């Protein structure tokens, strides 16, 4: 372990939704030279497995805390909050935000996910490092929670919006927080047009340049989110263009330090994507599907009291939570919902809890499992499993249990179902399908993610200049990023 004096700084680069195969293509075309060089000089995995659902709020919370949704408490991109009797949406699409209320969505996205939804019992790496006296800096990233207060500094559109909405509260983050146009701890000229897609990577680069020049961080998170939006619109095969842009924006930060070589003299770098992307051929209207089985679904903000509806649903790309609204009727309604959904051709898996076990169904096939001693998965977790292994395409070799198609699925399903805000059911559609969100939006002809499938879940990891002792690690999870970050600074993760 290095002493603080000779320890390098650490730069974590997050490229939202970067599909490993698309990175390889960009590298082969010569358009991602920095990522290519980091791989050559370090090590990489193209099977760094996302959370379940493999959606940015859940995955980001896992990267930052090193925990799954059961512990960090963020269940999905949108979900039903039983305590507040309302849908939470972190901005899945603008039409969906309009149904939930744009201001409400912004408050949930900017403040409440950090201050209320993310469990106080799972420290972020910003909190762990800052508590150990290590200065951190963060660009615009969904989870930024830390100990330092940051005043709202919105100008232009952000300022005007704050004035009419009362959104100008302080945030609590790392020492430096340069978040969209609303938090700017070092007073930069960087502007992001309030975070519209296509403008975000350049804002991160601008912020990163200022942070490098100010030279007062030991850990810096650079978030490049534009790739995800590009891939949603044009499909994962078009990602090489947006990956090239992320690499070029990263280059600007490197140049501020005097170029790649100079930057690497005093930095280690980790690059991670939070999830991957699969191709969407067709959308599923989940509310209509459930209506066909006579289920009355609670609408967002329609003035309908929950008492009028049987269930709440949170359709989020390639995963959906379903909530039985009246707990007294859960026992009776849950089996009926399971039966209706497992008969639907376009639904792939249906998951739920019963007693102390997790259940999964795929058509007629059914599996149930819980932590135990019968088998061990590739991350060393023990499981007792009974039923049809086909539900998760599991195979057993000796006492090891594994799935190629749905990697790390036992642990991921278990954690998803045990999230306090989880639905009574979580469902995934067949590959190629996506649920319409509450605004009627899907990405047919483009890309999306959310399910357990490796096409959605197998993300990219690159580790350069740190974590050498983990080079031979066999099964990676995005949760390991938290471990790598803390270990770099000599802190234990408690895992
Ligand atoms: Zn996305």
């Amino acid at each position: 372990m290095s002493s603080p004096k000779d320890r390098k700084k650490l730069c974590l680069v997050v490229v939202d939704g970067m599909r490993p195969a698309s990175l390889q293509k960009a590298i082969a075309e010569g358009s991602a030279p920095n990522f290519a060089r980091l791989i050559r000089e370090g090590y990489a995995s193209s099977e760094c497995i996302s959370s379940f659902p493999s959606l940015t709020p859940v995955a980001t919370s896992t990267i930052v805390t090193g925990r799954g949704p059961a512990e960090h408490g963020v269940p999905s991109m949108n979900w039903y909050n039983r305590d507040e009797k309302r849908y939470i949406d972190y901005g899945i699409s603008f039409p969906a935000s309009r149904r939930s209320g744009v201001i409400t969505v912004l408050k949930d996205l900017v403040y409440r996910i950090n201050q209320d939804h993310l469990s106080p019992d799972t420290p972020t790496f910003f909190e762990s490092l800052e508590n150990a006296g290590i200065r951190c800096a963060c660009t615009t990233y969904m989870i930024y929670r830390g100990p330092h207060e940051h005043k709202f500094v919105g100008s232009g559109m952000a300022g005007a919006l704050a004035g009419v909405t009362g959104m100008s509260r302080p945030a609590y983050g790392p020492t430096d927080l340069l978040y969209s146009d609303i938090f700017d701890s070092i007073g930069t000229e960087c502007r992001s047009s309030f975070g519209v897609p296509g403008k975000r990577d350049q804002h991160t680069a601008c912020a990163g340049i200022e942070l490098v020049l100010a030279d007062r961080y030991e850990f810096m998170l650079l978030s490049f989110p534009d790739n995800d939006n590009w891939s949603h619109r044009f499909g994962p095969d078009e990602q090489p263009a947006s990956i090239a842009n992320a690499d070029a924006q990263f280059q600007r930060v490197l140049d501020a330090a005097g170029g790649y070589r100079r930057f690497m003299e005093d930095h280690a770098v980790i690059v991670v994507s939070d999830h991957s992307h699969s191709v969407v051929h067709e959308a599923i209207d989940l509310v209509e599907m459930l209506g066909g089985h006579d289920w009355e679904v609670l609408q967002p903000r329609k003035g309908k009291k929950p008492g009028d509806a049987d269930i709440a649903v949170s359709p989020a790309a390639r995963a959906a939570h379903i909530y039985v609204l009246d707990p007294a009727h859960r026992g009776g309604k849950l089996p009926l919902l399971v039966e209706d959904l497992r008969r639907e051709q376009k639904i792939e898996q249906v998951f739920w809890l019963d007693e102390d076990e997790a259940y999964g169904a795929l058509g007629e096939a059914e599996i149930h499992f819980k932590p135990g001693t019968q088998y061990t998965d590739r991350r060393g977790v023990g499981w007792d499993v009974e039923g049809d292994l086909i539900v998760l395409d599991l195979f057993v070799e000796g006492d090891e249990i594994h799935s190629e198609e749905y990697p790390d699925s036992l642990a991921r399903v278990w954690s998803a179902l045990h999230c306090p805000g989880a639905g009574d059911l979580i469902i995934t559609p067949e590959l190629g399908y996506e649920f319409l969100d509450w605004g009627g939006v899907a990405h047919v002809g483009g890309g999306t993610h959310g399910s357990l499938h490796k096409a959605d879940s197998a993300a990219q990891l690159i580790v350069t200049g740190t974590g050498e002792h983990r080079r031979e690690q066999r099964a990676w999870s995005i949760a390991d990023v938290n471990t790598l970050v803390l270990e770099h600074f000599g802190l234990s993760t408690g895992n």
Side-chain angles (χ1 to χ4, degrees):
M1 197 179 300
S2 58
S3 71
K5 257 189 107 178
D6 58 29
R7 183 174 61 210
K8 286 184 172 183
K9 299 173 200 173
L10 179 61
C11 176
L12 173 60
V13 177
V14 183
V15 185
D16 196 325
M18 179 165 69
R19 184 176 70 161
S22 299
L23 172 63
Q24 283 309 318
K25 189 152 178 276
I27 287 173
E29 291 168 351
S31 58
N34 295 302
F35 296 152
R37 202 164 169 185
L38 289 167
I39 294 173
R40 276 202 310 277
E41 295 177 9
Y43 61 90
S45 170
S46 57
E47 293 183 7
C48 182
I49 305 308
S50 185
S51 54
F52 178 56
S54 45
L55 297 165
T56 295
V58 192
T60 298
S61 302
T62 293
I63 288 170
V64 169
T65 66
R67 306 289 176 166
E71 292 154 303
H72 68 52
V74 176
S76 190
M77 184 75 188
N78 53 18
W79 53 287
Y80 181 71
N81 187 319
R82 290 185 185 275
D83 295 336
E84 298 180 14
K85 296 187 170 47
R86 70 171 181 104
Y87 287 107
I88 307 277
D89 178 2
Y90 301 123
I92 191 167
S93 72
F94 190 67
S97 297
R98 287 180 59 181
R99 289 203 65 185
S100 292
V102 175
I103 303 307
T104 305
V105 168
L106 281 173
K107 286 178 178 171
D108 285 334
L109 169 67
V110 176
Y111 296 101
R112 296 203 53 206
I113 190 171
N114 281 281
Q115 294 175 4
D116 299 335
H117 305 154
L118 187 73
S119 168
D121 298 329
T122 52
T124 67
F125 45 41
F126 300 119
E127 291 169 323
S128 301
L129 296 175
E130 295 273 1
N131 287 344
I134 295 156
R135 295 182 71 141
C136 302
C138 189
T139 56
T140 312
Y141 198 50
M142 198 175 260
I143 304 293
Y144 56 74
R145 198 179 69 193
H148 297 281
E149 184 178 312
H150 293 277
K151 296 235 175 332
F152 187 97
V153 295
S155 58
M157 189 159 49
L161 191 68
V164 295
T165 61
M167 236 190 79
S168 53
R169 282 186 284 163
Y172 295 87
T175 300
D176 281 309
L177 179 63
L178 281 71
Y179 184 109
S180 190
D181 292 333
I182 59 178
F183 303 111
D184 185 347
S185 55
I186 55 179
T188 71
E189 297 293 315
C190 303
R191 295 290 175 266
S192 77
S193 308
F194 208 45
V196 295
K199 296 282 188 188
R200 298 172 184 171
D201 287 6
Q202 65 79 28
H203 180 264
T204 288
C206 180
I209 291 166
E210 297 286 345
L211 288 165
V212 165
L213 295 177
D215 189 25
R216 54 185 208 177
Y217 64 85
E218 287 180 81
F219 173 60
M220 170 170 68
L221 191 154
L222 297 177
S223 165
F224 294 111
D226 283 337
N227 175 72
D228 183 67
N229 187 264
W230 181 269
S231 184
H232 279 303
R233 289 175 68 196
F234 304 113
D237 290 341
E238 299 302 318
Q239 277 198 17
S242 43
I243 292 170
N245 183 56
D247 190 283
Q249 295 298 336
F250 182 42
Q251 176 79 51
R252 292 174 59 205
V253 180
L254 300 175
D255 287 346
Y260 178 95
R261 183 48 52 209
R262 289 287 298 276
F263 187 83
M264 296 305 287
E265 280 171 11
D266 62 356
H267 285 79
V269 177
I270 300 169
V271 180
V272 70
S273 52
D274 52 348
H275 53 74
S276 191
H277 263 252
S278 58
V279 178
V280 187
H281 300 298
E282 197 179 320
I284 299 172
D285 186 333
L286 182 59
V287 176
E288 189 181 283
M289 180 185 277
L290 288 161
H293 296 280
D294 295 328
W295 293 101
E296 176 127 7
V297 178
L298 181 70
Q299 304 286 308
R301 260 208 344 180
K302 272 282 177 76
K304 222 170 213 179
K305 292 195 178 69
D308 299 337
D310 303 311
I311 54 176
V313 304
S314 296
R318 290 190 18 82
H321 287 259
I322 301 177
Y323 305 76
V324 177
L325 287 170
D326 184 349
H329 291 147
R330 181 183 184 274
K333 288 184 176 173
L334 188 59
L336 301 175
L337 274 167
V338 169
E339 279 314 301
D340 287 344
L341 287 163
R342 69 196 292 177
R343 279 206 296 270
E344 289 286 347
Q345 293 288 319
K346 296 173 185 175
I347 299 297
E348 191 172 45
Q349 294 139 329
V350 183
F351 300 108
W352 68 99
L353 291 174
D354 194 6
E355 307 264 327
D356 63 342
E357 288 196 279
Y359 281 72
L362 174 79
E364 294 294 304
E366 190 169 305
I367 194 170
H368 53 109
F369 59 95
K370 61 181 176 182
T373 54
Q374 187 185 9
Y375 303 112
T376 305
D377 69 23
R378 288 199 174 165
R379 287 181 58 78
V381 181
W383 299 97
D384 291 341
V385 183
E386 277 185 60
D388 303 313
L389 300 184
I390 187 74
V391 174
L392 291 167
D393 202 37
L394 292 158
F395 60 88
V396 170
E397 266 182 279
D399 64 358
E400 184 183 273
I401 193 158
H402 176 67
S403 172
E404 287 293 327
E405 203 84 344
Y406 310 100
D408 200 22
S409 46
L410 296 172
R412 294 199 292 153
V413 169
W414 185 264
S415 187
L417 287 169
H418 284 86
C419 182
D424 296 298
L425 289 170
I426 306 176
I427 60 173
T428 61
E430 290 283 347
L431 201 59
Y433 290 88
E434 181 185 34
F435 295 120
L436 284 173
D437 70 23
W438 271 117
V441 174
H443 303 97
V444 176
T448 199
H449 48 95
S451 82
L452 289 166
H453 198 282
K454 64 182 177 186
D456 292 354
S457 299
Q460 181 70 48
L461 177 70
I462 306 170
V463 184
T464 311
T466 190
E468 263 315 300
H469 65 294
R470 294 190 179 271
R471 183 180 275 270
E472 303 305 325
Q473 184 167 317
R474 192 167 160 222
W476 285 95
S477 155
I478 58 168
D480 297 329
V481 173
N482 174 280
T483 309
L484 285 164
V485 169
L486 297 192
E487 285 180 351
H488 178 81
F489 292 102
L491 300 184
S492 121
T493 64
N495 282 327

